[in-house]
Amino acid sequence: MKADRCPSDDLSHTNCAIINPNDFPDNVQHIEVITGPSQHYIFSVKRYGGIPQQVVGFTMMSRKWAELSIGQNIDVKPYFFNPSSSSECLCTIVLEADFIQKKFGTSEPYDTDEMAREFLLQFSGQAFTEGQLLAFKFFDKKVLALIVKSLEAADLSAIKAGKEPKPKKTRMGRCLGDTIVQFDKGESSCLNLVGKSKGKIVRQSIINPDFNFNKMGIGGLDDEFNAIFRRAFASRVFPPEVVEQLGCKHVKGILLYGPPGTGKTLMARQIGKMLNAREPKIVNGPQILDKYVGESEANIRRLFADAEEEEKRAGPNSGLHIIIFDEIDAICKARGSVGGNTGVHDTVVNQLLAKIDGVEQLNNILVIGMTNRRDMIDEALLRPGRLEVQMEIGLPDEKGRLQILSIHCSKMYSYKKIAPNVDLGELSLLTKNFSGAEIEGLVRAAQSTAMNRLIKASNKVEVDPQALEKLLVEREDFLHALENDIKPAFGASAEALEHCLSRGIIVWGTPVSGILTDGELLIKQTLSAESTGLVSVLIEGPPNSGKTALAAEIAKRSDFPFVKVCSPADMVGYTESAKCLTLRKVFDDAYRSQLSCILVDNIERLIEYGPIGPRYSNIMLQALLVLLKNEPPKGKKLLVLCTSSERQLLKDLKMVSAFTSVLHVPNLSQPDHVISVLEQSEVFTKSELASIADKLKRNKIFVGIKKVLALIDMVKQVEDGFRVPTFLSKLEEEADEY
């Protein structure tokens, strides 16, 4: 006989060989087509009077499978299944499905349960062979191309013997009305199969198989990374069918925020490497903005274009597209907060919101935003469904600092360029409130100090020829870098405290020792587990009584990792709003540390109090009242020390009640107090001190410690015989002023 085309489209969807009714008897339902030695193909037949005799019509898929050409001579004979043969009754057919015309594919879901029912209705009783190509018309949807991947036949002999039947693989068999039909998606196909009759899909893991978590290079961020993985990637590790059964949606946005240098960009970079996804698109916020109208919004659309195209083509089987926004606050400021009549920032935010979670939302994207200013970002972007996972990347603790130091010193250890006396555990204790970037800078500074020892700078710069062998980073290099080169931005204000304590603390009597003792108790109260986490103290007294020095001494004795001095001297010329923002930033920074101490010096100057009028800044007053009563986040401890020379003013302004406790610093009012200060200054002889003590008993004394110290400095410039009368006369003048 001769091979020819199938005479009609309807007959082609039957996947049968089309024969003339007169060529074979009516009882012939299947034929065997022989195209060469060991090339035998079994087809079920359909009779059609419109096809010539001695001609067999084959569909395009059948011709491709059997390697037939139109007009080819073929040997054809009837084929009969043996009713008693167990290898011919199929119990399972596994089919690989794809669109016949791939470029016209769609992400429309195809229900495999409905497909299986329709397949049995169309092809029950037909013969199928492993590797056979089929065309499948499923209702009014696009025609699918099927490949018979595997066949399993029922063991009829076991059923007859009353044993449990075990299906066995077979090359060819006949589909029955109760045959189980399963559909697998073809490789790289965009067909979206749903339902229970879907076979197991070999999925590519979302986690890169070559990625080693131990070599991430992220120190001190284990808890944060685990939290991000749990929220953002756990659902992507499971197969889509599991996620579908749970009815959950993937997280599409992560916001990393925190102080500069804490590892936000590094973590985003490592997330991109960890995931088996498309190459991440990294964009700085300011790059989005464009001077031409509409271009800024178009730039946002271009970032999501590849993800949109793949989503339409592949549906839920689309790969993951990662878009990383560095400094996202540059383009996503709160709408209405940016001046000007263009409204560019607002429309950019609107475009980004629409792309992440709009009406036509994308499910194959992960947007990672990074910022130091979370408070500036539009609140609509922070709701669930958008930048849903918000993780604060804070300052590392002692364990985290040790990890970071180990990462940055690993090469020095491997090449034996670090001295045995370097103890990373000791360095992790000494680097309180250091960020990851500052720890890296510390290591670089120590390396520079070590290299500098091998450089001779005379008329010209020369490097020791044996530098490679001699170069060794010592413990002293790290200590030198800690003392001189690298200071933590969020650490203790050591210089400001030393400036306040330039003359030290002179314990001239029980009032001073009592205040220092009370300060120790307040520090313990701050650290107490039962406390609310906030202890605020007002240290008040007359001018020049040493309030600031005592507050600085208490702050220093606390040994808290974060100590900040907020002084009116730092805000000269600031507007009221600028002062408020500066004060707020000091408190916000303090909330990031486990233990913090803030010294607010000279409150009446901060609120711009003037006795003539009187006048003061209500904005600063309200800001101070709010911040003094605002408890730090859970697990954080804050000690606030405030100084003032105007207790009555603060009482009138209802500020005194905002403090946990009030400490009074008095002036020197007893001769013993003054003599104690003079003895510690070692300026006067014993006889001079006795003379001064005798004169002071007859005079009224009321003077601040700072005034006494200033008088001592002045008396040092006077000749020996005139020191005592000069000191007493000046002291009397100071007392008369009060």
Side-chain angles (χ1 to χ4, degrees):
M1 302 179 77
K2 282 189 177 182
D4 201 353
R5 292 187 179 89
C6 186
S8 72
D9 288 342
D10 289 340
L11 290 172
S12 69
H13 294 149
T14 65
N15 294 293
C16 293
I18 310 303
I19 59 174
N20 188 284
N22 298 321
D23 284 339
F24 291 96
D26 291 344
N27 65 335
V28 176
Q29 299 298 320
H30 313 282
I31 59 173
E32 182 178 2
V33 177
I34 305 165
T35 59
S38 70
Q39 291 181 321
H40 300 250
Y41 302 93
I42 307 300
F43 288 95
S44 297
V45 297
K46 286 279 184 186
R47 290 169 172 77
Y48 178 63
I51 196 166
Q53 286 186 278
Q54 301 298 311
V55 173
V56 182
F58 295 97
T59 67
M60 179 186 68
M61 306 287 282
S62 298
R63 293 199 306 272
K64 185 177 179 181
W65 171 55
E67 298 178 347
L68 295 169
S69 57
I70 295 171
Q72 178 181 342
N73 290 322
I74 53 175
D75 293 334
V76 182
K77 62 179 182 180
Y79 182 86
F80 296 96
F81 283 100
N82 183 357
S84 62
S85 174
S86 61
S87 63
E88 294 173 346
C89 298
L90 298 177
C91 61
T92 305
I93 301 176
V94 179
L95 302 161
E96 185 179 281
D98 197 359
F99 294 107
I100 285 184
Q101 294 179 307
K102 293 189 178 183
K103 64 179 180 179
F104 297 116
T106 175
S107 60
E108 182 184 3
Y110 278 65
D111 190 331
T112 52
D113 298 328
E114 290 289 338
M115 288 168 64
R117 283 193 286 271
E118 184 65 19
F119 185 90
L120 292 176
L121 286 173
Q122 292 185 26
F123 306 123
S124 183
Q126 286 188 206
F128 292 102
T129 307
E130 195 174 272
Q132 185 175 351
L133 302 179
L134 310 169
F136 179 41
K137 175 67 172 166
F138 179 50
F139 299 141
D140 58 348
K141 296 180 182 286
K142 295 184 182 296
V143 180
L144 300 179
L146 306 179
I147 303 174
V148 180
K149 284 185 68 177
S150 64
L151 300 170
E152 287 184 349
D155 188 354
L156 297 182
S157 58
I159 295 173
K160 289 177 182 177
K163 297 178 182 178
E164 184 180 352
K166 293 184 179 179
K168 54 185 179 180
K169 295 280 186 180
T170 183
R171 182 179 171 275
M172 190 270 296
R174 188 159 51 97
C175 178
L176 305 177
D178 57 354
T179 300
I180 298 171
V181 182
Q182 286 186 352
F183 293 90
D184 286 349
K185 186 172 74 73
E187 187 178 353
S188 72
S189 171
C190 62
L191 182 63
N192 181 13
L193 295 179
V194 297
K196 296 179 181 178
S197 299
K198 179 173 58 171
K200 291 184 179 179
I201 301 173
V202 179
R203 296 179 65 252
Q204 191 177 32
S205 174
I206 189 74
I207 306 299
N208 192 333
D210 300 327
F211 190 81
N212 186 345
F213 282 88
N214 295 326
K215 296 181 181 178
M216 289 181 65
I218 300 178
L221 297 175
D222 296 346
D223 294 340
E224 290 84 350
F225 190 82
N226 290 336
I228 289 173
F229 187 87
R230 175 179 61 84
R231 291 291 314 280
F233 305 124
S235 64
R236 297 182 186 273
V237 173
F238 285 90
E241 48 268 27
V242 176
V243 178
E244 182 185 335
Q245 290 169 11
L246 291 173
C248 75
K249 292 182 179 179
H250 298 307
V251 166
K252 292 182 284 186
I254 301 172
L255 179 68
L256 306 177
Y257 65 95
T262 49
K264 300 183 294 296
T265 305
L266 174 63
M267 180 172 279
R269 199 182 299 132
Q270 293 296 348
I271 287 172
K273 290 180 183 177
M274 179 193 76
L275 297 181
N276 208 351
R278 306 291 180 267
E279 186 70 23
K281 294 180 180 178
I282 303 174
V283 58
N284 291 322
Q287 292 178 350
I288 294 295
L289 303 177
D290 198 287
K291 64 180 179 180
Y292 295 108
V293 175
E295 274 302 303
S296 300
E297 296 86 337
N299 288 336
I300 294 286
R301 289 193 292 273
R302 290 187 193 103
L303 289 174
F304 292 87
D306 294 341
E308 280 184 329
E309 187 273 330
E310 190 170 347
E311 173 89 358
K312 289 177 182 176
R313 182 167 48 83
N317 301 301
S318 168
L320 181 64
H321 292 254
I322 300 174
I323 302 170
I324 299 174
F325 285 96
D326 202 3
E327 305 299 338
I328 194 172
D329 54 282
I331 60 169
C332 292
K333 290 184 175 69
R335 286 170 288 184
S337 64
V338 180
N341 55 4
T342 59
V344 172
H345 281 85
D346 293 0
T347 53
V348 168
V349 175
N350 293 340
Q351 184 69 78
L352 190 60
L353 293 174
K355 285 297 177 186
I356 298 176
D357 190 34
V359 176
E360 296 181 359
Q361 60 181 356
L362 298 171
N363 293 313
N364 61 342
I365 58 167
L366 179 64
V367 176
I368 303 175
M370 293 167 289
T371 181
N372 302 327
R373 299 293 307 275
R374 178 175 175 267
D375 55 297
M376 293 178 65
I377 297 177
D378 191 276
E379 61 180 13
L381 200 62
L382 303 178
R383 74 157 175 78
R386 288 163 184 168
L387 298 184
E388 181 171 343
V389 179
Q390 296 158 35
M391 186 61 58
E392 181 176 7
I393 310 300
L395 298 172
D397 56 12
E398 185 182 333
K399 179 184 174 185
R401 294 194 296 272
L402 181 60
Q403 287 181 357
I404 297 169
L405 283 165
S406 302
I407 289 166
H408 292 301
C409 295
S410 59
K411 283 199 172 181
M412 289 192 286
Y413 275 109
S414 60
Y415 289 102
K416 297 181 179 177
K417 293 297 178 186
I418 192 165
N421 63 357
V422 176
D423 183 2
L424 297 186
E426 178 194 15
L427 291 174
S428 67
L429 282 170
L430 295 173
T431 51
K432 287 181 180 178
N433 273 36
F434 273 63
S435 67
E438 286 162 346
I439 293 174
E440 184 183 1
L442 176 72
V443 175
R444 281 201 304 268
Q447 292 167 341
S448 300
T449 307
M451 288 187 285
N452 195 56
R453 286 200 301 270
L454 301 172
I455 296 174
K456 298 174 183 177
S458 52
N459 294 333
K460 60 179 181 178
V461 178
E462 296 178 357
V463 179
D464 192 323
Q466 294 182 327
L468 187 62
E469 292 77 20
K470 291 182 178 179
L471 183 60
L472 202 65
V473 182
E474 304 274 353
R475 175 176 178 270
E476 289 71 24
D477 299 325
F478 281 98
L479 296 180
H480 181 272
L482 270 171
E483 186 176 348
N484 301 293
D485 298 326
I486 306 295
K487 300 292 181 185
F490 292 89
S493 300
E495 292 181 4
L497 288 178
E498 291 302 327
H499 178 71
C500 296
L501 293 167
S502 57
R503 299 296 296 263
I505 295 295
I506 298 174
V507 182
W508 48 261
T510 52
V512 177
S513 57
I515 288 170
L516 293 176
T517 303
D518 290 342
E520 295 282 355
L521 291 174
L522 291 165
I523 293 169
K524 291 178 181 178
Q525 181 184 345
T526 307
L527 295 170
S528 170
E530 292 81 17
S531 73
T532 59
L534 174 66
V535 175
S536 54
V537 186
L538 173 64
I539 302 175
E540 58 84 23
N544 302 315
S545 57
K547 302 179 295 297
T548 302
L550 286 168
E553 179 65 17
I554 294 171
K556 189 176 180 181
R557 289 187 181 187
S558 72
D559 198 28
F560 287 175
F562 182 95
V563 179
K564 216 71 172 176
V565 178
C566 183
S567 170
D570 301 327
M571 304 185 199
V572 174
Y574 281 23
T575 62
E576 288 182 323
S577 57
K579 283 184 179 181
C580 280
L581 289 174
T582 304
L583 189 66
R584 174 62 188 269
K585 187 177 186 304
V586 170
F587 276 81
D588 284 345
D589 292 345
Y591 296 152
R592 293 191 176 109
S593 179
Q594 290 292 114
L595 299 171
S596 311
C597 178
I598 298 174
L599 198 166
V600 183
D601 193 24
N602 217 340
I603 288 182
E604 61 270 17
R605 295 285 76 79
L606 275 179
I607 63 173
E608 303 176 11
Y609 167 70
I612 300 174
R615 65 174 301 276
Y616 61 91
S617 168
N618 190 52
I619 294 176
M620 280 300 294
L621 172 64
Q622 299 305 324
L624 276 167
L625 285 171
V626 169
L627 293 172
L628 287 172
K629 291 185 176 181
N630 186 37
E631 293 180 7
K634 188 178 180 182
K636 307 292 176 73
K637 305 289 186 180
L638 176 61
L639 172 64
V640 183
L641 303 170
C642 299
T643 68
S644 175
S645 302
E646 300 284 349
R647 175 168 182 165
Q648 187 58 46
L649 166 70
L650 301 187
K651 195 171 182 181
D652 294 340
L653 295 175
K654 307 298 183 185
M655 279 195 73
V656 175
S657 59
F659 293 96
T660 308
S661 59
V662 179
L663 302 180
H664 176 67
V665 182
N667 273 345
L668 284 74
S669 57
Q670 300 293 328
D672 294 344
H673 298 163
V674 179
I675 296 301
S676 177
V677 176
L678 296 179
E679 284 176 347
Q680 294 181 55
S681 68
E682 298 180 352
V683 173
F684 298 94
T685 62
K686 287 187 177 180
S687 60
E688 288 175 332
L689 288 173
S691 174
I692 292 171
D694 185 56
K695 294 286 178 72
L696 288 179
K697 289 177 182 177
R698 306 170 200 166
N699 298 329
K700 182 181 178 183
I701 302 170
F702 193 75
V703 64
I705 181 67
K706 286 178 71 176
K707 286 290 185 181
V708 175
L709 293 174
L711 290 177
I712 292 172
D713 290 340
M714 184 180 70
V715 168
K716 286 179 182 178
Q717 317 307 319
V718 179
E719 294 179 6
D720 290 350
F722 300 96
R723 286 181 179 175
V724 173
T726 303
F727 177 78
L728 290 172
S729 65
K730 294 295 181 184
L731 188 63
E732 189 176 349
E733 290 176 9
E734 292 294 338
D736 289 342
E737 286 186 14
Y738 289 101

